[in-house]
Amino acid sequence: MSDNRQLLADMAEGLFAELSDADFAGAWPRLAEAGFSTLLVPEEKGGFGGDWVDVLAVLRLAGRNAVPAPVAEPILAHYLLARAGIDAPEGFVSIAAPGRRVPWGRHADWVVSVEDGKASLHAADACMFVEGVNPAGEPLDAVSFTGAPIASAPCDHDLAALGAFARVAQASGALEAAFALAIEHVNTRHQFGRALAKFQAVQQAMAEFSEEAAAVDAAAAGCAAALDGLDEAGFEIASAKLRTNLAIDRATPIAHRVHGAIGFTMEYALNRYTRRLMSWRSEFGNDAFWAERLGRQVAALGGKGLWLEMTARSDRLIDAA
Amino acid sequence: MQIFPIRPFNPPGDIPALRQQVRDLVARHESRWQLETRANPWFSFDAEFSKALGAAGLLAMNWPKAYGGHERTMLERYVVLEELLALGAPAGLHWIADRQTGPLLIRYGTEAQKRKYLPGMARGEIYACIGLSEPNAGSDLASVRTSARRTPEGWRVNGQKVWTSGAHRSHAALTLVRTEEGSERHAGLSQLMIDLDTPGVTVRPIVDMTGSHHFNEIFFDDALIPLDALVGTEGNGWKQVTAELALERSGPERYLSSHMLLVALIDAIGPDPEPGIAQLIGRLTAELWTLRQMSMSTAAKLDAGEDPVVEAAIVKDLGNAYEQALPRLVQAAVDADLAAKSDLSRLLVWLLVQSPSYSLRGGTPEVLRGIIAKGLGLR
């Protein structure tokens, strides 16, 4: 890990841990002050000048600390604005992927949408929100634009894909946090005269849990490398999102099972992670969406073409290293 | 505490050219391969192809040149392996010698042993098998009872090995034997490199549920094995055997065994599939891609001198689960006529019946998860 990335991670870790019980009003100013929003904005444009591996490191920590405020959305919004050459405004900018709700929309000062090859910046007073929340209780608001955007510019980025990557990165952290809780619990909770961890059935379940968390870590890292090293990372993002969803399907039941009723209470921390994981599974595209998109892409490549494409893509990352 | 920290896969040299070399070689040989030969390729045999790989410098890639190797990196070797498997090239004859027996001899063998076996292995002409399991000692390898008694003439070996893959096509078996009378469990075990044409050594076939002959029993009936067949240190056999297990567990052979069926499925459904089948292909691709990330990362750790025991067990368990599920997922999704002669039907039937073996060879899920649990500090 580069020195810069380590500093970034240390700063994020410290701040996120403090924010885990905050609300939006308490958390956002601290996040804004820390400057995460400009993580992907080049230094010459006043940003942090980071890459997608940096984004993964920060979002993973956000997921691990269940930060109850938008970390990913402003990073993506400012990235798109910089890429499209639109001057970034002050305040919280969220994102509107085509046909999808806007995370934390009601709190946004601005919204960036990407549709039909065009990025647009909308002021909050030109947005009408129908408020809703995700299973974790976080705002997820449907938007319709009631006025013209402040600015528009050509943009060939797939916002749903970038959003999906963000959820993969957050999920990798949330799974680690849930795993750490489960490990702690099975090591300390005694039943039938011994620690839960001493039961072979529990050991096997925890091993399975670790495998799923490992798969998400690998998928997230592979995805970040592809975003940094390839022109587009649609193949990798679709794969990583699908694999992450599978891991959530397999791992969250184990997390709850080994905790028993304790893990089902509002008081105990597990639900902070598992309710978010449940929601992230379908935010920016559910299994059917990504599986069909990836499946069609692969079908067009043909049977042998799949291997040729997959290896050609990863070989280009060797050259980039 | 990240469970699976990633190490980038950065082999030196022109990797696309290396892939092309393998692809060209496969193209020159593939016309003689049956479809079934191409499925589960590291359990399929073609001596001519093994020799061609040797001649092309694609075996023994990271061994010393003095013994016929090519002093390339483990990661270049990894690229060759994954190409062979993904292209469905029968690589079973030389697989064990190239992956395991050769490297073990390089690490522990005597100069004479290296001279005797390694150059032929590197040419794809000498094949080896691993004599570990015994009757009543399957997953519990340490309960080995085959004995080797030291005499002035040599080792007197008595006992029986079982489930020995490829012994009937191998020249030698690296055999775990009990050299200390009365010793128990992991103590008193040693490795002998036993030539299978030695008098008193008998190889008998076990036909598996696919109708194929891969498994064998090896009987040792007071066989006299030269004293210099001892590999490494007497009594150190258990440590020598287990030291190589990470090499065995994280390779691309742990998730690509059914890959030819995915290829056939994609070809069978064409470029404009219905949503259900498209989704199945998408989900399988996602698992394939992720497993490849994990396997490559583990290879990079091995290459860097780390000992990723837990990661390797994770790759094998997830990889086996994927390659094992692939045939039944295809069967569930596609209305394939199992009695038909189409490529898809033939591969499906063949791999459905092959697939239970994937999670037997190299450790069952329960054994692997036990290793992982140990790594997690739970046991």
Side-chain angles (χ1 to χ4, degrees):
Chain A
M1 192 182 279
S2 69
D3 287 351
N4 269 346
R5 190 167 299 143
Q6 188 62 56
L7 285 173
L8 180 73
D10 290 346
M11 179 179 75
E13 176 79 85
L15 178 59
F16 294 166
E18 286 176 33
L19 297 181
S20 58
D21 287 318
D23 56 10
F24 178 86
W28 173 252
R30 307 279 310 277
L31 289 170
E33 185 191 11
F36 293 116
S37 303
T38 67
L39 201 50
L40 287 171
V41 175
E43 284 175 279
E44 61 269 22
K45 289 190 176 178
F48 181 86
D51 59 18
W52 290 97
V53 177
D54 295 321
V55 174
L56 170 57
V58 169
L59 294 185
R60 196 171 186 285
L61 290 169
R64 203 171 79 181
N65 289 283
V67 175
V71 181
E73 291 78 5
I75 294 175
L76 299 181
H78 283 265
Y79 170 71
L80 291 167
L81 290 173
R83 297 290 297 203
I86 299 172
D87 285 338
E90 293 288 320
F92 165 43
V93 196
S94 193
I95 49 176
R100 302 202 180 274
R101 285 176 176 262
V102 178
W104 305 90
R106 72 196 67 165
H107 297 295
D109 301 301
W110 311 86
V111 172
V112 172
S113 67
V114 179
E115 196 141 24
D116 302 328
K118 207 170 61 176
S120 301
L121 177 64
H122 309 265
D125 58 16
C127 298
M128 193 180 79
F129 289 109
V130 178
E131 296 188 357
V133 291
N134 72 10
E138 294 176 328
L140 203 54
D141 302 329
V143 68
S144 45
F145 300 115
T146 54
I150 302 286
S152 286
C155 173
D156 58 4
H157 284 81
D158 180 348
L159 181 48
L162 297 181
F165 168 72
R167 296 299 182 250
V168 167
Q170 290 167 285
S172 74
L175 278 168
E176 187 188 308
F179 181 72
L181 281 178
I183 285 279
E184 170 74 16
H185 183 76
V186 301
N187 276 328
T188 52
R189 173 88 170 160
H190 283 247
Q191 298 277 274
F192 307 104
R194 51 183 166 154
L196 290 178
K198 296 303 159 199
F199 291 90
Q200 200 172 33
V202 174
Q203 292 169 2
Q204 295 266 315
M206 289 303 295
E208 211 181 328
F209 192 162
S210 77
E211 293 180 19
E212 296 303 318
V216 177
D217 274 338
C223 217
L227 278 161
D228 280 329
L230 302 177
D231 297 335
E232 52 78 34
F235 182 94
E236 289 79 6
I237 290 173
S239 297
K241 182 67 166 67
L242 285 165
R243 187 60 187 84
T244 298
N245 281 7
L246 179 63
I248 294 170
D249 291 347
R250 289 176 177 170
T252 48
I254 298 173
H256 279 289
R257 225 161 65 209
V258 301
H259 275 98
I262 294 166
F264 193 63
T265 60
M266 186 56 87
E267 182 188 2
Y268 191 79
L270 183 62
N271 77 79
R272 293 180 177 204
Y273 310 110
T274 56
R275 287 195 297 147
R276 284 183 168 83
L277 288 165
M278 288 167 191
S279 184
W280 293 339
R281 205 151 46 181
S282 56
E283 288 182 26
F284 298 106
N286 67 356
D287 301 69
F289 175 85
W290 287 110
E292 188 170 346
R293 185 192 272 204
L294 182 60
R296 289 195 172 282
Q297 190 183 349
V298 170
L301 292 167
K304 281 186 179 168
L306 166 60
W307 183 257
L308 301 183
E309 174 73 5
M310 206 163 62
T311 51
R313 295 178 74 88
S314 63
D315 284 351
R316 286 206 287 279
L317 297 177
I318 298 172
D319 293 334
Chain B
M1 181 202 55
Q2 202 165 337
I3 293 155
F4 205 92
I6 294 300
R7 184 178 269 277
F9 184 85
N10 282 322
D14 187 343
I15 294 304
L18 181 59
R19 290 192 195 282
Q20 197 57 49
Q21 187 191 357
V22 181
R23 290 168 187 174
D24 291 345
L25 192 70
V26 167
R28 284 201 292 281
H29 291 263
E30 65 185 344
S31 62
R32 68 172 178 276
W33 297 335
Q34 293 287 315
L35 201 56
E36 288 80 0
T37 303
R38 310 194 67 166
N40 197 8
W42 61 292
F43 270 63
S44 294
F45 301 153
D46 179 349
E48 192 182 332
F49 184 64
S50 287
K51 285 176 198 166
L53 282 169
L58 298 173
L59 298 181
M61 286 180 71
N62 55 337
W63 301 4
K65 285 183 179 167
Y67 307 115
H70 305 284
E71 299 187 1
R72 300 179 80 167
T73 61
M74 275 175 69
L75 299 186
E76 289 167 286
R77 175 174 177 269
Y78 182 99
V79 167
V80 171
L81 294 188
E82 67 168 3
E83 284 295 324
L84 291 174
L85 296 167
L87 301 178
L93 270 180
H94 63 264
W95 194 268
I96 299 298
D98 182 73
R99 177 181 79 183
Q100 223 154 329
T101 320
L104 200 135
L105 288 176
I106 290 168
R107 184 160 169 194
Y108 295 108
T110 63
E111 185 60 24
Q113 287 165 349
K114 292 176 189 175
R115 296 267 167 223
K116 178 178 176 186
Y117 294 107
L118 294 177
M121 289 176 169
R123 288 193 306 272
E125 292 172 0
I126 291 183
Y127 314 125
C129 59
I130 308 169
L132 286 179
S133 297
E134 296 190 0
N136 304 317
S139 293
D140 183 14
L141 282 177
S143 46
V144 160
R145 286 184 303 177
T146 296
S147 67
R149 189 165 45 86
R150 188 191 276 273
T151 71
E153 303 83 52
W155 299 100
R156 284 287 175 186
V157 180
N158 284 285
Q160 182 190 348
K161 294 290 175 182
V162 71
W163 317 128
T164 313
S165 293
H168 59 303
R169 298 293 302 270
S170 297
H171 301 86
L174 190 55
T175 310
L176 189 66
V177 293
R178 199 162 284 287
T179 45
E180 186 189 332
E181 218 180 315
S183 65
E184 283 185 12
R185 303 296 300 164
H186 305 116
L189 297 172
S190 304
Q191 287 184 295
L192 300 181
M193 188 71 169
I194 298 180
D195 291 332
L196 289 170
D197 59 2
T198 307
V201 179
T202 314
V203 175
R204 286 192 199 143
I206 301 172
V207 176
D208 66 31
M209 67 183 258
T210 71
S212 308
H213 173 199
H214 287 286
F215 287 146
N216 298 276
E217 296 174 290
I218 309 180
F219 294 89
F220 304 96
D221 184 14
D222 219 22
L224 184 63
I225 307 299
L227 286 173
D228 64 6
L230 175 72
V231 176
T233 309
E234 190 175 338
N236 197 37
W238 177 255
K239 206 175 153 200
Q240 291 172 203
V241 165
T242 51
E244 307 298 325
L245 287 179
L247 290 178
E248 187 197 332
R249 288 194 167 133
S250 60
E253 69 267 39
R254 298 308 180 183
Y255 70 94
L256 284 171
S257 304
S258 299
H259 186 70
M260 292 305 279
L261 180 60
L262 180 58
V263 172
L265 173 68
I266 294 166
D267 285 338
I269 52 109
D272 187 24
E274 57 160 296
I277 301 293
Q279 286 181 23
L280 173 65
I281 290 172
R283 286 197 299 272
L284 291 171
T285 302
E287 284 204 66
L288 171 69
W289 176 82
T290 307
L291 285 162
R292 186 163 178 263
Q293 302 297 312
M294 301 178 86
S295 177
M296 290 195 301
S297 174
T298 309
K301 286 175 194 169
L302 286 166
D303 184 52
E306 295 177 36
D307 189 17
V309 175
V310 170
E311 288 97 322
I314 289 175
V315 171
K316 183 179 182 308
D317 197 24
L318 287 177
N320 286 165
Y322 160 79
E323 60 183 13
Q324 208 160 53
L326 205 155
R328 82 180 147 69
L329 291 174
V330 171
Q331 183 186 28
V334 181
D335 190 18
D337 175 357
L338 296 185
K341 298 296 176 207
S342 72
D343 284 7
L344 185 65
S345 292
R346 282 171 62 193
L347 277 171
L348 177 55
V349 169
W350 182 247
L351 288 171
L352 275 174
V353 188
Q354 287 275 339
S355 58
S357 69
Y358 300 167
S359 56
L360 306 180
R361 54 194 191 195
T364 64
E366 287 71 21
V367 168
L368 296 168
R369 290 172 191 178
I371 291 167
I372 296 164
K374 200 167 192 170
L376 296 173
L378 298 177
R379 52 183 286 255

PDB file of all heavy atoms in Angstrom, chain A residues 30 58 140 225:
ATOM      1  N   ARG A  30     -18.582  16.790   8.538  1.00  0.00           N
ATOM      2  CA  ARG A  30     -17.279  16.173   8.828  1.00  0.00           C
ATOM      3  C   ARG A  30     -16.716  15.491   7.578  1.00  0.00           C
ATOM      4  O   ARG A  30     -15.524  15.577   7.287  1.00  0.00           O
ATOM      5  CB  ARG A  30     -17.413  15.127   9.958  1.00  0.00           C
ATOM      6  CG  ARG A  30     -18.075  15.633  11.230  1.00  0.00           C
ATOM      7  CD  ARG A  30     -17.106  16.403  12.121  1.00  0.00           C
ATOM      8  NE  ARG A  30     -15.852  15.684  12.377  1.00  0.00           N
ATOM      9  CZ  ARG A  30     -15.682  14.753  13.314  1.00  0.00           C
ATOM     10  NH1 ARG A  30     -16.696  14.405  14.105  1.00  0.00           N
ATOM     11  NH2 ARG A  30     -14.518  14.185  13.486  1.00  0.00           N
ATOM     12  N   VAL A  58     -11.329   3.425   0.830  1.00  0.00           N
ATOM     13  CA  VAL A  58     -12.198   4.302   1.620  1.00  0.00           C
ATOM     14  C   VAL A  58     -13.603   3.713   1.762  1.00  0.00           C
ATOM     15  O   VAL A  58     -14.172   3.679   2.865  1.00  0.00           O
ATOM     16  CB  VAL A  58     -12.263   5.708   0.970  1.00  0.00           C
ATOM     17  CG1 VAL A  58     -13.363   6.545   1.605  1.00  0.00           C
ATOM     18  CG2 VAL A  58     -10.916   6.411   1.113  1.00  0.00           C
ATOM     19  N   LEU A 140     -33.632   6.856   0.287  1.00  0.00           N
ATOM     20  CA  LEU A 140     -33.507   6.389  -1.092  1.00  0.00           C
ATOM     21  C   LEU A 140     -34.707   6.991  -1.812  1.00  0.00           C
ATOM     22  O   LEU A 140     -35.819   6.464  -1.734  1.00  0.00           O
ATOM     23  CB  LEU A 140     -33.528   4.856  -1.115  1.00  0.00           C
ATOM     24  CG  LEU A 140     -32.900   4.123  -2.298  1.00  0.00           C
ATOM     25  CD1 LEU A 140     -31.463   4.555  -2.545  1.00  0.00           C
ATOM     26  CD2 LEU A 140     -32.963   2.616  -2.079  1.00  0.00           C
ATOM     27  N   ALA A 225      -8.807  -2.639  -9.853  1.00  0.00           N
ATOM     28  CA  ALA A 225      -7.659  -2.684 -10.769  1.00  0.00           C
ATOM     29  C   ALA A 225      -8.116  -2.478 -12.207  1.00  0.00           C
ATOM     30  O   ALA A 225      -7.455  -1.780 -12.991  1.00  0.00           O
ATOM     31  CB  ALA A 225      -6.925  -4.021 -10.619  1.00  0.00           C
TER      32      ALA A 225
END
